[in-house]
Amino acid sequence: MKKIHWDNMHKFNTHWIRVKFFNNKPDIKNAKVLKNVRFCEATKEAGVLPVILDRESISCLGARYAFGWETRNSNKLLNSCYDKKNMRKDTISSILSKAPYFNKPPKFIGLNTDDKPDIVMSYMSAEKIMNLINAYHNLCGKNLGASLSSMMSVCGGVAVRSYLKKDISISFGCHDSRKYADMRIENLAVGIPKNMFGIFED
């Protein structure tokens, strides 16, 4: 597969957020270290300056769970989701048990840093996603599967899932991402892992 040409990222006429998972502390002199934010909220901040996140940066229990920074058997996340959702606890527990998460959490997460990203993300209209899927067909020669959830949608359903599954992930968002991220009412969240960056080639 060809290496990505960053100049071609305009191909789908959308803003891309480059996401890098670090196992060691990166050079952060040119990046803003955020505190007390949701991951989806941080993607909006990264539109202005490069951003660095760690466990202490993230206030959202769902994102901390997805990135491996929250104990899996903790009731805190279950109770937090129960307070927000009109669902039974056993339903929420079942959904959480199937949610993607890192077994080995990263030490830091970079958004729009100069490092080669592990995934890129965007908030795209349905029409742009249609064009993206068409490019996916041409690259992979198969249909794109989807796993959709209204919980931890951007952090887990897009960022973590696309990285772990090595495939494009799409999400309609969750209440928090709709409120705190730059996610317009007509947009969906999309994640593309680095092994799929050939999709940007003409």
Side-chain angles (χ1 to χ4, degrees), residues 20-87:
K20 177 71 176 179
F21 300 112
F22 294 98
N23 293 320
N24 299 297
K25 188 174 182 178
D27 181 2
I28 61 174
K29 61 184 179 182
N30 294 320
K32 183 177 182 180
V33 181
L34 296 183
K35 297 296 181 184
N36 195 36
V37 294
R38 293 162 175 81
F39 175 76
C40 53
E41 183 180 7
T43 64
K44 182 178 179 179
E45 294 291 328
V48 180
L49 288 172
V51 163
I52 294 290
L53 303 167
D54 61 12
R55 186 183 188 281
E56 302 307 314
S57 300
I58 302 295
S59 61
C60 172
L61 288 174
R64 289 171 69 161
Y65 177 92
F67 295 127
W69 292 333
E70 185 70 31
T71 306
R72 286 203 73 207
N73 59 5
S74 171
N75 285 324
K76 289 190 297 182
L77 177 58
L78 178 63
N79 292 331
S80 174
C81 293
Y82 180 70
D83 290 339
K84 293 180 182 179
K85 301 282 185 179
N86 184 25
M87 294 183 191

Side-chain angles (χ1 to χ4, degrees), residues 3-19 112-113 115-122 124 128 132 190-194 196-202:
K3 291 183 178 179
I4 186 171
H5 288 234
W6 295 111
D7 290 343
N8 287 351
M9 289 188 73
H10 68 273
K11 180 176 178 180
F12 302 103
N13 192 27
T14 192
H15 171 69
W16 293 100
I17 303 154
R18 301 185 302 278
V19 182
N112 283 342
T113 60
D115 309 270
K116 184 176 180 179
D118 293 309
I119 67 167
V120 293
M121 296 174 52
S122 188
M124 303 173 69
K128 291 177 182 178
L132 176 69
V190 176
I192 303 176
K194 61 184 178 184
M196 291 282 170
F197 285 171
I199 208 165
F200 293 110
E201 298 295 339
D202 292 327

Side-chain angles (χ1 to χ4, degrees), residues 169-180:
S169 293
I170 296 172
S171 173
F172 287 93
C174 58
H175 291 298
D176 281 354
S177 60
R178 289 285 174 186
K179 181 177 180 180
Y180 294 103

